[in-house]
Amino acid sequence: MVKFEREVFVLTERNWRERDDNDGLRKLATKYSLLGYGSCLEPEGRDVVEGQSTRLPCRFNQYRPEKIAIYWIRTNTENPDIITMNNASHSDNLYKVDFKPDEGRYDLTILRAEYDRDNCHLQCRFKDLSNGSGGYTVIASFAVTVFNKFLVLNLKIFINFFLIPPGPPQITPPKPVAREGETFALSCMSQGGSPDPVVQWYREDVPLQAQLQKGGSRDRPTTSVLSINPRMEDDNATYRCAVWNRAIPEELKMEGAVVLRVQYAPRIRVGPYNPLRIMVNGDAMLTYSGTYTCVAENGIGDATQINLELAVLYGPIVNLLPEKEVSLGESLAVKCNVASYPPPHTIEWIKENDAFFRQTGDTLRLESVSSEDSGRYFCRATTTARPSGSSMQRESTSNSSIIINIRHKPGETIIQPSTLEAVTGKPFTLMCSAKPLGYPLPEYRWWKEGQEKIELSRKANYTLLSAHVSHEGQYYCQTQNSLGYGSIASAYLTVYG
């Protein structure tokens, strides 16, 4: 069945026999320009004795069911006549078509040649139906000559006297060496023969187009010149030249072959990994990362080169300022500088002695700071890397810290211990602090009740080297820094004898 767009026409033997009564096929052929304009191809001569069979080869590619028509058309003294289309033939008793789309084969066999019917031109045509009324392509063409069986004897005499087999093919150069990118010519010559021989080039059984120079007489050679644009893939390819004419059957055609050597520029591959990722260690330093170029040349064409990207993997290196000051009530932003490859997938901030503080990202942000925001902050970065050829990922973590100092005056002053009881003759220490302590760090002033003008100490701790009953009394301590004073704290010291 052949489908033409929305029309379906069943090609059966009965359709073909009734073509004179039913002109559907001819109308269909006209609609799709099967008989219209198309390419030309010089016919190949084919002789057959009346009543015998002959096979006409046709090769194609890119067959698409329902969108491609491939058919044989016969032309003699009458109008052109389509005798096969796709897998249907004119008559199983007259013609047989060998249709194998997967192999690209559409051969026609004339089963019993008739002088009046088969003295004709036969063309194998290819038509893309999706192009509407576009042209066809002739992919095989034959001029068939049918000899009357009663004249076979005379034919043999004719062949003996007038048809002369050609000489064997001579290929030059016999040991061809080509260079990639430079056009190369193979020449196949056959001396003599009448008529002029057919000279056909093949590469791995695929026919090739070549420039044919006919001799014109049996005293002059017929030459076919094949032009090749050599590639690396053509190295060690076999090229065959076949020669025949009507004096010998095609199956006895003479052949010659050569193996083509191609000199080509080097091809480079780097690997097995590109880019190549390796872990930093004693043999691979960070400075090894970069682009490495491999260059190869052998005098054929330009030098060939390829790049390899080398990446040295290393865990995070975290850098922070040691400390930073900010005034009370201001906002603070601290950038965490992390170097690693690949880049870290996690950066987080934590605070010393504060299990609830956590920020993510490379910047620590504190808004409207208070004295409670003072302290040590840690920036922690984590990187996951997988070297080339490894199925395991490696995780690395590193951190660094910064001390945030909030500028503020001291808070409430405190004297410790809470109970001040000294023993005569023994040393005793009074300790002064502030909460919050204040920044810059505060200075201290100690004095005793009734002796306000006498400054006992300007240190945080005031020590009695040997307690005496005269030391008993009310003691005072006050903190201060450049931003102000803390409160005054007092405590009573009792000295026991």
Side-chain angles (χ1 to χ4, degrees), residues 52-69:
Q52 295 184 356
S53 299
T54 187
R55 186 183 181 95
L56 309 179
C58 178
R59 299 293 182 266
F60 64 93
N61 56 25
Q62 297 180 345
Y63 180 74
R64 292 174 293 165
E66 302 181 358
K67 293 187 178 181
I68 296 296

PDB file of all heavy atoms in Angstrom, residues 52-69:
ATOM      1  N   GLN A  52      15.039 -14.266 -22.296  1.00  0.00           N
ATOM      2  CA  GLN A  52      15.885 -14.433 -21.123  1.00  0.00           C
ATOM      3  C   GLN A  52      15.637 -13.298 -20.116  1.00  0.00           C
ATOM      4  O   GLN A  52      14.898 -12.356 -20.390  1.00  0.00           O
ATOM      5  CB  GLN A  52      17.364 -14.482 -21.532  1.00  0.00           C
ATOM      6  CG  GLN A  52      17.709 -15.697 -22.379  1.00  0.00           C
ATOM      7  CD  GLN A  52      19.192 -15.771 -22.687  1.00  0.00           C
ATOM      8  OE1 GLN A  52      19.967 -14.881 -22.325  1.00  0.00           O
ATOM      9  NE2 GLN A  52      19.596 -16.841 -23.361  1.00  0.00           N
ATOM     10  N   SER A  53      16.264 -13.417 -18.947  1.00  0.00           N
ATOM     11  CA  SER A  53      16.064 -12.440 -17.874  1.00  0.00           C
ATOM     12  C   SER A  53      17.317 -11.610 -17.681  1.00  0.00           C
ATOM     13  O   SER A  53      18.432 -12.051 -17.996  1.00  0.00           O
ATOM     14  CB  SER A  53      15.719 -13.145 -16.556  1.00  0.00           C
ATOM     15  OG  SER A  53      14.531 -13.888 -16.692  1.00  0.00           O
ATOM     16  N   THR A  54      17.141 -10.422 -17.141  1.00  0.00           N
ATOM     17  CA  THR A  54      18.273  -9.566 -16.770  1.00  0.00           C
ATOM     18  C   THR A  54      17.861  -8.727 -15.557  1.00  0.00           C
ATOM     19  O   THR A  54      16.688  -8.362 -15.405  1.00  0.00           O
ATOM     20  CB  THR A  54      18.698  -8.655 -17.933  1.00  0.00           C
ATOM     21  OG1 THR A  54      19.909  -7.975 -17.552  1.00  0.00           O
ATOM     22  CG2 THR A  54      17.642  -7.625 -18.264  1.00  0.00           C
ATOM     23  N   ARG A  55      18.811  -8.460 -14.723  1.00  0.00           N
ATOM     24  CA  ARG A  55      18.557  -7.720 -13.470  1.00  0.00           C
ATOM     25  C   ARG A  55      19.196  -6.336 -13.565  1.00  0.00           C
ATOM     26  O   ARG A  55      20.374  -6.204 -13.904  1.00  0.00           O
ATOM     27  CB  ARG A  55      19.146  -8.485 -12.274  1.00  0.00           C
ATOM     28  CG  ARG A  55      18.819  -7.899 -10.911  1.00  0.00           C
ATOM     29  CD  ARG A  55      19.525  -8.698  -9.821  1.00  0.00           C
ATOM     30  NE  ARG A  55      19.238  -8.213  -8.479  1.00  0.00           N
ATOM     31  CZ  ARG A  55      18.294  -8.700  -7.687  1.00  0.00           C
ATOM     32  NH1 ARG A  55      17.529  -9.703  -8.122  1.00  0.00           N
ATOM     33  NH2 ARG A  55      18.099  -8.202  -6.483  1.00  0.00           N
ATOM     34  N   LEU A  56      18.404  -5.313 -13.246  1.00  0.00           N
ATOM     35  CA  LEU A  56      18.858  -3.929 -13.291  1.00  0.00           C
ATOM     36  C   LEU A  56      18.946  -3.402 -11.856  1.00  0.00           C
ATOM     37  O   LEU A  56      17.922  -3.277 -11.176  1.00  0.00           O
ATOM     38  CB  LEU A  56      17.888  -3.065 -14.112  1.00  0.00           C
ATOM     39  CG  LEU A  56      17.540  -3.594 -15.506  1.00  0.00           C
ATOM     40  CD1 LEU A  56      16.553  -2.666 -16.196  1.00  0.00           C
ATOM     41  CD2 LEU A  56      18.799  -3.763 -16.347  1.00  0.00           C
ATOM     42  N   PRO A  57      20.151  -3.091 -11.379  1.00  0.00           N
ATOM     43  CA  PRO A  57      20.294  -2.653  -9.977  1.00  0.00           C
ATOM     44  C   PRO A  57      19.908  -1.187  -9.781  1.00  0.00           C
ATOM     45  O   PRO A  57      20.095  -0.346 -10.666  1.00  0.00           O
ATOM     46  CB  PRO A  57      21.782  -2.866  -9.689  1.00  0.00           C
ATOM     47  CG  PRO A  57      22.435  -2.695 -11.022  1.00  0.00           C
ATOM     48  CD  PRO A  57      21.468  -3.225 -12.048  1.00  0.00           C
ATOM     49  N   CYS A  58      19.389  -0.890  -8.594  1.00  0.00           N
ATOM     50  CA  CYS A  58      19.067   0.481  -8.194  1.00  0.00           C
ATOM     51  C   CYS A  58      19.309   0.588  -6.691  1.00  0.00           C
ATOM     52  O   CYS A  58      18.806  -0.234  -5.912  1.00  0.00           O
ATOM     53  CB  CYS A  58      17.608   0.828  -8.536  1.00  0.00           C
ATOM     54  SG  CYS A  58      17.125   2.497  -8.011  1.00  0.00           S
ATOM     55  N   ARG A  59      20.088   1.597  -6.289  1.00  0.00           N
ATOM     56  CA  ARG A  59      20.418   1.770  -4.872  1.00  0.00           C
ATOM     57  C   ARG A  59      19.973   3.167  -4.410  1.00  0.00           C
ATOM     58  O   ARG A  59      20.054   4.140  -5.168  1.00  0.00           O
ATOM     59  CB  ARG A  59      21.921   1.621  -4.631  1.00  0.00           C
ATOM     60  CG  ARG A  59      22.464   0.261  -5.004  1.00  0.00           C
ATOM     61  CD  ARG A  59      21.921  -0.814  -4.079  1.00  0.00           C
ATOM     62  NE  ARG A  59      22.463  -2.124  -4.380  1.00  0.00           N
ATOM     63  CZ  ARG A  59      21.874  -2.995  -5.172  1.00  0.00           C
ATOM     64  NH1 ARG A  59      20.713  -2.679  -5.754  1.00  0.00           N
ATOM     65  NH2 ARG A  59      22.419  -4.171  -5.392  1.00  0.00           N
ATOM     66  N   PHE A  60      19.520   3.259  -3.150  1.00  0.00           N
ATOM     67  CA  PHE A  60      19.017   4.535  -2.618  1.00  0.00           C
ATOM     68  C   PHE A  60      19.268   4.566  -1.115  1.00  0.00           C
ATOM     69  O   PHE A  60      19.676   3.585  -0.500  1.00  0.00           O
ATOM     70  CB  PHE A  60      17.522   4.701  -2.909  1.00  0.00           C
ATOM     71  CG  PHE A  60      16.656   3.676  -2.229  1.00  0.00           C
ATOM     72  CD1 PHE A  60      16.078   3.932  -0.981  1.00  0.00           C
ATOM     73  CD2 PHE A  60      16.430   2.436  -2.822  1.00  0.00           C
ATOM     74  CE1 PHE A  60      15.311   2.985  -0.355  1.00  0.00           C
ATOM     75  CE2 PHE A  60      15.649   1.485  -2.197  1.00  0.00           C
ATOM     76  CZ  PHE A  60      15.083   1.754  -0.957  1.00  0.00           C
ATOM     77  N   ASN A  61      18.966   5.716  -0.509  1.00  0.00           N
ATOM     78  CA  ASN A  61      19.006   5.852   0.950  1.00  0.00           C
ATOM     79  C   ASN A  61      17.923   6.829   1.390  1.00  0.00           C
ATOM     80  O   ASN A  61      17.203   7.383   0.567  1.00  0.00           O
ATOM     81  CB  ASN A  61      20.392   6.308   1.437  1.00  0.00           C
ATOM     82  CG  ASN A  61      20.846   7.595   0.782  1.00  0.00           C
ATOM     83  OD1 ASN A  61      20.039   8.398   0.330  1.00  0.00           O
ATOM     84  ND2 ASN A  61      22.155   7.798   0.730  1.00  0.00           N
ATOM     85  N   GLN A  62      17.788   6.993   2.704  1.00  0.00           N
ATOM     86  CA  GLN A  62      16.822   7.916   3.304  1.00  0.00           C
ATOM     87  C   GLN A  62      15.384   7.602   2.883  1.00  0.00           C
ATOM     88  O   GLN A  62      14.606   8.491   2.556  1.00  0.00           O
ATOM     89  CB  GLN A  62      17.158   9.361   2.946  1.00  0.00           C
ATOM     90  CG  GLN A  62      18.502   9.817   3.492  1.00  0.00           C
ATOM     91  CD  GLN A  62      18.812  11.252   3.128  1.00  0.00           C
ATOM     92  OE1 GLN A  62      18.175  11.836   2.257  1.00  0.00           O
ATOM     93  NE2 GLN A  62      19.788  11.813   3.811  1.00  0.00           N
ATOM     94  N   TYR A  63      15.026   6.335   2.921  1.00  0.00           N
ATOM     95  CA  TYR A  63      13.652   5.977   2.593  1.00  0.00           C
ATOM     96  C   TYR A  63      12.739   6.215   3.793  1.00  0.00           C
ATOM     97  O   TYR A  63      13.057   5.824   4.915  1.00  0.00           O
ATOM     98  CB  TYR A  63      13.578   4.500   2.181  1.00  0.00           C
ATOM     99  CG  TYR A  63      12.166   4.060   1.816  1.00  0.00           C
ATOM    100  CD1 TYR A  63      11.587   4.448   0.617  1.00  0.00           C
ATOM    101  CD2 TYR A  63      11.416   3.289   2.695  1.00  0.00           C
ATOM    102  CE1 TYR A  63      10.296   4.057   0.281  1.00  0.00           C
ATOM    103  CE2 TYR A  63      10.126   2.894   2.372  1.00  0.00           C
ATOM    104  CZ  TYR A  63       9.560   3.282   1.163  1.00  0.00           C
ATOM    105  OH  TYR A  63       8.284   2.914   0.852  1.00  0.00           O
ATOM    106  N   ARG A  64      11.612   6.907   3.566  1.00  0.00           N
ATOM    107  CA  ARG A  64      10.631   7.166   4.613  1.00  0.00           C
ATOM    108  C   ARG A  64       9.260   6.696   4.118  1.00  0.00           C
ATOM    109  O   ARG A  64       8.719   7.279   3.165  1.00  0.00           O
ATOM    110  CB  ARG A  64      10.574   8.651   4.947  1.00  0.00           C
ATOM    111  CG  ARG A  64      11.831   9.187   5.633  1.00  0.00           C
ATOM    112  CD  ARG A  64      11.770  10.688   5.793  1.00  0.00           C
ATOM    113  NE  ARG A  64      11.816  11.333   4.480  1.00  0.00           N
ATOM    114  CZ  ARG A  64      11.501  12.603   4.257  1.00  0.00           C
ATOM    115  NH1 ARG A  64      11.086  13.351   5.247  1.00  0.00           N
ATOM    116  NH2 ARG A  64      11.598  13.118   3.045  1.00  0.00           N
ATOM    117  N   PRO A  65       8.707   5.667   4.735  1.00  0.00           N
ATOM    118  CA  PRO A  65       7.407   5.160   4.297  1.00  0.00           C
ATOM    119  C   PRO A  65       6.370   6.269   4.293  1.00  0.00           C
ATOM    120  O   PRO A  65       6.352   7.144   5.152  1.00  0.00           O
ATOM    121  CB  PRO A  65       7.086   4.076   5.332  1.00  0.00           C
ATOM    122  CG  PRO A  65       8.405   3.699   5.905  1.00  0.00           C
ATOM    123  CD  PRO A  65       9.240   4.932   5.883  1.00  0.00           C
ATOM    124  N   GLU A  66       5.499   6.223   3.286  1.00  0.00           N
ATOM    125  CA  GLU A  66       4.359   7.123   3.111  1.00  0.00           C
ATOM    126  C   GLU A  66       4.764   8.525   2.671  1.00  0.00           C
ATOM    127  O   GLU A  66       3.907   9.338   2.360  1.00  0.00           O
ATOM    128  CB  GLU A  66       3.510   7.222   4.383  1.00  0.00           C
ATOM    129  CG  GLU A  66       2.972   5.889   4.856  1.00  0.00           C
ATOM    130  CD  GLU A  66       2.107   6.040   6.105  1.00  0.00           C
ATOM    131  OE1 GLU A  66       1.981   7.169   6.596  1.00  0.00           O
ATOM    132  OE2 GLU A  66       1.554   5.031   6.554  1.00  0.00           O
ATOM    133  N   LYS A  67       6.074   8.837   2.653  1.00  0.00           N
ATOM    134  CA  LYS A  67       6.503  10.154   2.214  1.00  0.00           C
ATOM    135  C   LYS A  67       7.456  10.087   1.022  1.00  0.00           C
ATOM    136  O   LYS A  67       7.799  11.124   0.460  1.00  0.00           O
ATOM    137  CB  LYS A  67       7.176  10.894   3.368  1.00  0.00           C
ATOM    138  CG  LYS A  67       6.224  11.238   4.501  1.00  0.00           C
ATOM    139  CD  LYS A  67       6.897  12.112   5.538  1.00  0.00           C
ATOM    140  CE  LYS A  67       5.904  12.485   6.645  1.00  0.00           C
ATOM    141  NZ  LYS A  67       6.533  13.358   7.669  1.00  0.00           N
ATOM    142  N   ILE A  68       7.897   8.882   0.662  1.00  0.00           N
ATOM    143  CA  ILE A  68       8.840   8.697  -0.445  1.00  0.00           C
ATOM    144  C   ILE A  68       8.240   7.726  -1.457  1.00  0.00           C
ATOM    145  O   ILE A  68       7.702   6.677  -1.079  1.00  0.00           O
ATOM    146  CB  ILE A  68      10.189   8.155   0.072  1.00  0.00           C
ATOM    147  CG1 ILE A  68      10.872   9.170   0.996  1.00  0.00           C
ATOM    148  CG2 ILE A  68      11.103   7.797  -1.082  1.00  0.00           C
ATOM    149  CD1 ILE A  68      11.248  10.465   0.314  1.00  0.00           C
ATOM    150  N   ALA A  69       8.329   8.079  -2.699  1.00  0.00           N
ATOM    151  CA  ALA A  69       7.952   7.162  -3.783  1.00  0.00           C
ATOM    152  C   ALA A  69       9.221   6.797  -4.538  1.00  0.00           C
ATOM    153  O   ALA A  69       9.979   7.670  -4.954  1.00  0.00           O
ATOM    154  CB  ALA A  69       6.936   7.803  -4.721  1.00  0.00           C
TER     155      ALA A  69
END
